[in-house]
Amino acid sequence: MILRKFSPFLFLLCVFSSCLRDEDFSTSPSDVLHFSVDTLDFDTLISGELAHTRTIQVYNPNRSAVCISSVSLLHGAKSVFRVNIDGTSLEQGSATDFEVRSGDSLRIFVNAFPPLSDADSPVAHTDKLLLQLASGVVQELPLEVHGLDVIKLESHEIVSDDTLYARRPYQILDSLVVREGAVLTIQPGARLFFHKGASLVVYGSLCVNGEVEANVIFRGDRLGNMFTNQSYDCIPGQWGGIHIKQQSFGNHINFADIHSGDYGLLCDSSSTDVEKLCLENSIIHNMSGNVLTLHHVKCRVGNSQLTNAGGDCVSVLGGDVQMVHATIGQFYAFTTGRGVALKFSNVNGDLKYPLERLVIQNSIITGYSNDEIMGNRGDEQLAFNYTFQNCLLNTPKYEAPEVVNCLWDTSDNAVSKADNFFPAFDLDRLTYSFYLDSASVAIGAADPLITQRTYPFDREGLPQPTAPHLGCYTRMLEQ
């Protein structure tokens, strides 16, 4: 009797789609869903590695609920993309029966697995996510990813002279070590992608031969975005850093871009009779620790950007250091406990390191705070020799023989601190420009004789004007 009473209802259930269980479900072709993105683009990822999962929201702005009869990938099981919808995976590239109530949304999780292609350039892979509505409408969401083949180096040691080239990036899965007596040469345009915690450790010598249009890149190996507008490449702590050991001398780094690691460039204490490092035309930026650490070494730095550190941008402990046309800026975004733009001292606890010479010329030293320069003469009997000449200094104004023709980065200027640079820092995307604003007092404030003798061209290869600018860039952008 019960079955006979409800048999018409059961018959109707068999006629209508399984997801049309409510009279409020729409069958109108005009009632469609809205995606949170027009195209889901994973950008470029390392081939053979699974991407970070991305999330898409599918909204129903209609007054009626909408039934999705099926969700599928155009390329089905052969797709390089993997899709999960509210906990349901697209087995063999498809799944059925989803509902989106009026004003509600559906979450779709997508990741990508671009295959190896044995190509020197990124290879594009595309697909489409297809939503078949009960109304018969098919909605499409394009999916895109580029796969980049790399040369993997794991626990790799350079024991004799060797060269890295620009043909494909190198992925360093564990620290790359240059043994004593060996020279590692890195050619223009080479890219070194380091895994989390991996570093370049130099006991021998390092020769980085970048060019103005082909910098050598040192960065983490997480490609793509953490969020829609937030690249992993802009997040510090993605890899270790470059560690130049005590027995290493004669290192030359030219036109390098070193960024987003635990530390930038660390030089261990050694004799100051021989030059340990010459750093030119380079960027070291966005480190969770120090950007440049020089422990009692002989070092020259020119035409370089040293910016944004959870520790100090530049830390000098004794030694013999010369810096010309440097832009040193402490605008690290992640902590209020960050260090300063420049710290120098002749002691470290009980250890004493004579500061034989620290000369900084035609440079900018600034940051968010009101005092970005910390000098500590911890031992009055030990050498503590420093000179600032034709520099813009963010520190309380003072007069001393060691300060020659310098300007002070204070609010008395038309622009100061971060406003010396244009365009403004984008703290959402964590992108920074250190081109000078046209109102900065750093414009035309360099000593032209020093410029002509050292760096008549800036870091980008542009000629310095007759009245040269402080820092490593001559390009000015106006609002």
Side-chain angles (χ1 to χ4, degrees):
M1 295 294 293
I2 294 177
L3 289 176
R4 288 177 183 172
K5 181 177 180 180
F6 286 95
S7 60
F9 177 70
L10 293 173
F11 174 76
L12 288 174
L13 281 178
C14 295
V15 172
F16 291 104
S17 170
S18 62
C19 67
L20 297 180
R21 293 184 290 268
D22 193 307
E23 62 182 2
D24 290 331
F25 277 94
S26 173
T27 58
S28 171
S30 63
D31 286 346
V32 295
L33 303 172
H34 290 182
F35 296 103
S36 58
V37 294
D38 295 328
T39 299
L40 183 60
D41 186 359
F42 283 84
D43 201 357
T44 302
L45 303 174
I46 293 177
S47 299
E49 295 188 3
L50 191 65
H52 177 73
T53 300
R54 298 279 296 277
T55 304
I56 309 163
Q57 294 289 124
V58 181
Y59 301 98
N60 179 7
N62 307 293
R63 299 183 66 178
S64 300
V66 172
C67 174
I68 306 173
S69 302
S70 68
V71 180
S72 61
L73 289 163
L74 181 63
H75 297 319
K78 295 181 180 179
S79 178
V80 304
F81 299 94
R82 307 288 183 267
V83 179
N84 183 292
I85 305 174
D86 277 351
T88 300
S89 297
L90 267 62
E91 298 295 338
Q92 300 301 311
S94 65
T96 60
D97 195 11
F98 298 93
E99 304 170 359
V100 190
R101 299 284 176 169
S102 174
D104 204 351
S105 65
L106 196 67
R107 299 178 73 187
I108 300 180
F109 305 91
V110 185
N111 55 33
F113 191 77
L116 297 172
S117 56
D118 195 26
D120 293 339
S121 299
V123 175
H125 302 276
T126 61
D127 206 338
K128 289 182 179 180
L129 187 65
L130 307 176
L131 274 65
Q132 170 84 51
L133 307 186
S135 62
V137 172
V138 178
Q139 293 189 246
E140 300 180 353
L141 178 68
L143 307 176
E144 299 177 0
V145 67
H146 286 76
L148 178 65
D149 283 14
V150 299
I151 300 169
K152 294 182 182 291
L153 300 177
E154 186 169 4
S155 300
H156 190 74
E157 294 191 354
I158 307 294
V159 296
S160 59
D161 294 358
D162 203 351
T163 302
L164 301 183
Y165 298 94
R167 187 169 69 91
R168 291 184 189 177
Y170 296 85
Q171 185 184 29
I172 291 87
L173 298 174
D174 197 355
S175 292
L176 175 61
V177 179
V178 183
R179 287 299 174 191
E180 191 169 0
V183 177
L184 174 61
T185 300
I186 306 179
Q187 294 291 60
R191 292 160 291 170
L192 280 69
F193 297 166
F194 291 82
H195 201 59
K196 181 73 173 179
S199 296
L200 173 57
V201 183
V202 184
Y203 295 90
S205 296
L206 179 65
C207 182
V208 177
N209 291 329
E211 295 176 353
V212 64
E213 298 293 340
N215 279 208
V216 174
I217 306 298
F218 298 82
R219 53 157 294 171
D221 67 352
R222 295 196 74 172
L223 310 185
N225 292 340
M226 176 182 286
F227 306 112
T228 301
N229 294 318
Q230 181 60 72
S231 168
Y232 279 111
D233 199 31
C234 295
I235 305 295
Q238 296 297 305
W239 59 291
I242 301 175
H243 190 172
I244 299 178
K245 292 289 191 173
Q246 179 180 9
Q247 56 268 62
S248 175
F249 293 94
N251 298 282
H252 186 201
I253 299 176
N254 193 24
F255 287 110
D257 183 343
I258 307 164
H259 60 270
S260 300
D262 295 328
Y263 59 95
L265 189 54
L266 166 62
C267 292
D268 285 348
S269 174
S270 56
S271 170
T272 58
D273 294 334
V274 181
E275 185 173 270
K276 191 176 193 70
L277 171 67
C278 176
L279 176 71
E280 300 180 285
N281 304 304
S282 293
I283 294 173
I284 312 180
H285 173 74
N286 193 36
M287 301 294 167
S288 53
N290 290 351
V291 163
L292 176 63
T293 303
L294 304 173
H295 281 171
H296 195 257
V297 298
K298 186 171 186 176
C299 173
R300 288 183 293 130
V301 177
N303 244 13
S304 293
Q305 174 192 320
L306 308 167
T307 47
N308 291 21
D312 302 314
C313 291
V314 177
S315 176
V316 178
L317 179 61
D320 182 349
V321 178
Q322 300 178 67
M323 308 182 78
V324 182
H325 278 291
T327 296
I328 306 173
Q330 178 55 301
F331 300 101
Y332 190 73
F334 290 94
T335 176
T336 56
R338 58 181 168 259
V340 294
L342 172 65
K343 181 182 291 183
F344 57 101
S345 180
N346 62 359
V347 298
N348 182 21
D350 294 332
L351 300 177
K352 300 181 180 182
Y353 298 94
L355 185 61
E356 300 165 20
R357 178 174 57 167
L358 172 62
V359 177
I360 303 181
Q361 300 169 310
N362 287 3
S363 296
I364 298 170
I365 308 173
T366 189
Y368 280 131
S369 80
N370 292 323
D371 192 355
E372 291 288 349
I373 302 174
M374 296 294 173
N376 173 35
R377 186 167 193 169
D379 187 328
E380 294 291 335
Q381 306 303 316
L382 205 62
F384 189 70
N385 302 311
Y386 70 92
T387 299
F388 298 114
Q389 181 179 358
N390 288 79
C391 292
L392 177 61
L393 306 177
N394 179 350
T395 194
K397 185 176 182 179
Y398 70 102
E399 294 184 3
E402 295 84 6
V403 180
V404 181
N405 295 331
C406 288
L407 302 170
W408 306 94
D409 195 21
T410 69
S411 57
D412 294 335
N413 301 332
V415 298
S416 62
K417 301 177 181 178
D419 293 333
N420 280 297
F421 310 104
F422 187 81
F425 303 150
D426 187 336
L427 299 182
D428 292 327
R429 290 178 170 82
L430 297 177
T431 56
Y432 294 79
S433 166
F434 289 93
Y435 295 141
L436 291 172
D437 185 274
S438 59
S440 174
V441 296
I443 301 296
D447 184 318
L449 295 179
I450 293 174
T451 299
Q452 289 303 313
R453 187 175 68 249
T454 56
Y455 297 99
F457 296 88
D458 78 346
R459 205 197 81 79
E460 296 184 317
L462 299 176
Q464 284 277 7
T466 304
H469 309 327
L470 302 182
C472 63
Y473 298 109
T474 64
R475 189 189 303 272
M476 286 186 297
L477 300 178
E478 297 185 5
Q479 301 189 34

